[in-house]
Structures are given as C-alpha cells and as structure tokens.
Amino acid sequence: MKKIKVGIIGCGSITEKRHAPEYLDNPHVEIAAFYDLNKKRAELMVEKFGGKAVDEYMEILNDPEIDAVSDCTPNNMHCIISTKAMELGKHVLCEKPMTKNVEEAEEIAEMQKKTGKIFMMDHNQRFTEAHKRVRDIIRSGKLGKVITFRTTFGHGGPESWTESKSKNTWFFQKDKCEFGVIGDLGVHKIDLIRYLTDSEFESVCGMGGTLHKTFENGDPVEVYDNAICVLKMACGAIGTGTFSWTYYGQEDNSTILYMEKGIIRIYDDPKYQIKIIYEDGKMEELEVEAIQTNDNQTKTGVIDAFVNAILKNEESPVTAEDGLISIKVVKGIIKAIEEKKEIKL
C-alpha cells in the first residue's frame, strides 16, 4: 500500500511533541516536508523525524506528491492555510481553535464542502479512553440523563509549553490568539461536552479577565488568562466551564457529570480515571489510562484517526462543522463576558 505523504506547516511544540512523532509512529505515513517561519525549527524537525525543510509553505501545498497537511500555525493563519490546502487537493488536520473568528471558520467549512477533502479538527479529548467509555455509559441510559456538569481545564500557561518558553508567546497576542484561554483550553471542553451529551449548546454566560499573565516587559497580556462560564444545553443540562492559564503546580483536566441515577467523575482522581458513584452510594472505580498533559506526553489517537479517515475515504471524526460550532460557542462566551449578559446561540 502506498504511504500517505504528509507536510507539516508550523514547527512549534505541538508539532515536535504530538503531530510529528505520531505520524512517524503510523506505518501508513511518510513525513515529506516541514515549514516554519524560523527555518531552523523546520530543520530541527527534519533531523528528528525525516523529510525536508522548505522555504515557503506553498511548496508543500503545491507539491502533487503530498496528500495531507497538518496546519500547526497560530490561529490567525488557519483559515489561509487550511482553505488553500483543501483547494489544492490536500486533506487537512487543523490545530485548535479552528480560527480566530466565526467568519473564517465558516470559510473553512464552505471550502470543505466545495472540495470534499477530509478536514479534521484536533479536538483530542474525544479520543481518550475514559471519555469514550463515559460516552458509552451515558448512551446506555443506566445512569439516566445528565442534569448538571462541571468541566475544568487549567494549567500553568502556554509559555511553559512553547518551544521558546517566552512570555512574549503568540498565545498572549490578540491578533494571533483572540480568544485567549477560552480558545486554547476552553474549546477542548466545549467539544467534549457536545461529544459526551450528544447535545448542542443553547446559551452561555460568563466572567473572564486578565488576572495574572504578563509579557516580558511586565504589561498585562492582551487576552483573557481566566474564564468561568455557565453553559446551557438543548438536552436541558446546565453546567459550568472553568478555563485557566494560572493553575501553577498541577494541571486540572477533569469533568464531573451529575446524572439522574448517580455521578461520573472523569480524570478527577490520580489513580482511577473514571469513578461512578451510584445513587445508593455504591462506587465503581475504573483504571483506564492517564490523560495526556504538557508534562506527560502520550499518544493522542488524533493522527491515527486522521490517517484512518484518509485510508478509508470516510468523514473525519471531528469535522469542519464541529470546529465551526465550537468557535460559535467560544465567541458566544466572549460576547457574554463583554456584554455581561446571557447570550443565546
């Protein structure tokens, strides 16, 4: 079987720690090329993972031998690169959040429909074993419906993750990362709650602020570093989302579902990734797999799912429409914070 040739555009930490090693691990893939504004970064990726470093990203998009692209650029570039890649016949795996506004997300979704190319968002929480199992439990009906929930994603901030380790990271710049922590971390949990409940968001409200993060010169960053929101679902459930770049010391990536016949706690215990507390007080503890953290890199399953969709010519498991919906919810949260009122979606 001919291997799928992949080009990776953007060579930051997400490429070095997740995309490239997972492509290298997949027997059906050949990494053909890397591009980065800093060519030394692309050359470093070549040293570690093979392929070649190119001078312009259009060399990857115009190469007829390359079948698929990982778009690992800052958020403000996703629309430009992902749409052009599909237009030129490439399948696309795009880093989250999909874009920096709703209009650009709609452009990507329209181009996907127009070209029929496979487009996948890297919402990796869908692929953890605990989340997949909990979705099956919810669908089984044995605990009834989800009534309320709380979901949290917080860590010490992107400056500890990026390859430069600088407080001047693009994550803190509004023109490149307009949604701040809500787009960086919150978007994962927005997609996860949709995935778990099979339901859409109806309305949102929230509070957010730039509480602690600064640039190297001491000025506050240009985007929110913390946000807490209330999320109302079409299924009737109401829950909270807490997203933070200031959880110094320990990451929190937990979700708790309060249901008609019990409670499910996910990634809330260091040993048991799923804990089910039934209404009679009985407890079921399941040890499946630890969730990936910035300090503990494990295989996400995203790359394999993307490659499998290409091989089978199937719709991706996280579509452009999924990405668009998440961006609409993120934008709704930002609007709710700014206007200090509930926003209907």
Side-chain angles (χ1 to χ4, degrees):
M1 181 186 292
K2 175 182 173 290
K3 288 192 174 185
I4 295 166
K5 289 192 175 182
V6 172
I8 303 178
I9 300 175
C11 296
S13 292
I14 198 70
T15 288
E16 183 177 10
K17 296 178 180 179
R18 297 187 184 174
H19 286 248
E22 290 188 32
Y23 278 127
L24 193 66
D25 188 58
N26 189 297
H28 304 294
V29 172
E30 176 187 338
I31 300 176
F34 291 93
Y35 168 77
D36 195 89
L37 279 171
N38 177 358
K39 194 173 182 182
K40 288 184 179 179
R41 283 293 299 173
E43 290 169 345
L44 176 62
M45 295 304 101
V46 171
E47 288 178 22
K48 295 183 73 170
F49 304 108
K52 64 181 179 180
V54 300
D55 294 319
E56 300 289 340
Y57 70 78
M58 286 303 299
E59 291 182 54
I60 290 175
L61 301 190
N62 284 321
D63 188 337
E65 293 295 310
I66 292 178
D67 306 293
V69 168
S70 265
D71 185 350
C72 298
T73 59
N75 309 343
N76 64 313
M77 290 298 294
H78 290 173
C79 181
I80 296 168
I81 290 173
S82 288
T83 53
K84 195 64 178 177
M86 287 186 284
E87 187 178 23
L88 293 173
K90 314 299 184 197
H91 304 296
V92 175
L93 173 61
C94 183
E95 263 306 317
K96 55 75 202 169
M98 188 177 188
T99 52
K100 63 184 178 68
N101 57 48
V102 173
E103 293 74 24
E104 289 186 352
E106 289 173 337
E107 281 187 49
I108 289 178
E110 282 302 313
M111 183 59 74
Q112 191 282 320
K113 289 177 185 175
K114 179 180 175 182
T115 63
K117 304 310 293 184
I118 292 164
F119 177 91
M120 180 171 167
M121 283 303 305
D122 186 2
H123 287 312
N124 56 32
Q125 299 228 349
R126 292 185 179 217
F127 300 95
T128 76
E129 188 60 31
H131 290 147
K132 289 189 288 187
R133 288 204 196 182
V134 168
R135 190 188 197 211
D136 289 341
I137 292 168
I138 294 170
R139 286 182 159 189
S140 75
K142 72 176 186 178
L143 287 175
K145 296 178 183 178
V146 176
I147 302 170
T148 63
F149 60 87
R150 67 174 176 88
T151 190
T152 303
F153 198 173
H155 58 49
E159 72 272 34
S160 63
W161 157 259
T162 55
E163 50 88 18
S164 66
K165 302 294 186 290
S166 169
K167 287 185 176 183
N168 291 332
T169 173
W170 62 265
F171 283 91
F172 293 162
Q173 300 167 20
K174 192 164 187 177
D175 62 334
K176 295 183 176 68
C177 189
E178 181 178 346
F179 300 134
V181 71
I182 305 170
D184 181 39
L185 303 184
V187 74
H188 278 301
K189 294 304 192 176
I190 288 163
D191 183 73
L192 175 65
I193 294 298
R194 287 185 64 236
Y195 170 77
L196 292 178
T197 63
D198 285 318
S199 184
E200 301 296 342
F201 293 93
E202 277 194 347
S203 65
V204 296
C205 55
M207 298 184 75
T210 307
L211 306 183
H212 194 258
K213 292 297 181 186
T214 63
F215 291 112
E216 296 287 357
N217 66 4
D219 289 343
V221 302
E222 298 168 355
V223 295
Y224 294 143
D225 59 20
N226 277 272
I228 299 174
C229 55
V230 178
L231 308 160
K232 185 178 181 181
M233 311 295 296
C235 65
I238 298 175
T240 60
T242 301
F243 316 125
S244 176
W245 278 337
T246 62
Y247 282 18
Y248 304 122
Q250 186 173 14
E251 186 169 310
D252 186 347
N253 205 337
S254 62
T255 298
I256 304 174
L257 307 171
Y258 301 91
M259 306 180 67
E260 291 176 310
K261 299 177 183 178
I263 299 166
I264 305 179
R265 307 181 75 94
I266 317 165
Y267 295 119
D268 188 47
D269 182 279
K271 183 176 182 181
Y272 300 105
Q273 289 75 41
I274 303 171
K275 292 178 77 171
I276 304 171
I277 302 99
Y278 295 95
E279 57 186 334
D280 62 3
K282 290 180 181 176
M283 186 180 297
E284 189 176 345
E285 297 174 318
L286 304 176
E287 193 173 352
V288 286
E289 64 175 7
I291 196 165
Q292 186 179 72
T293 68
N294 288 350
D295 298 324
N296 179 32
Q297 296 298 317
T298 56
K299 194 169 182 178
T300 64
V302 170
I303 298 298
D304 288 348
F306 178 54
V307 171
N308 191 55
I310 295 172
L311 291 172
K312 295 184 177 179
N313 194 28
E314 295 177 345
E315 184 177 67
S316 86
V318 195
T319 65
E321 189 64 27
D322 289 320
L324 172 58
I325 290 169
S326 291
I327 289 296
K328 286 180 176 179
V329 177
V330 168
K331 186 64 178 178
I333 294 169
I334 296 284
K335 187 176 181 182
I337 293 169
E338 291 174 347
E339 298 184 6
K340 297 180 173 60
K341 65 180 185 182
E342 182 179 357
I343 298 297
K344 296 194 180 299
L345 302 172

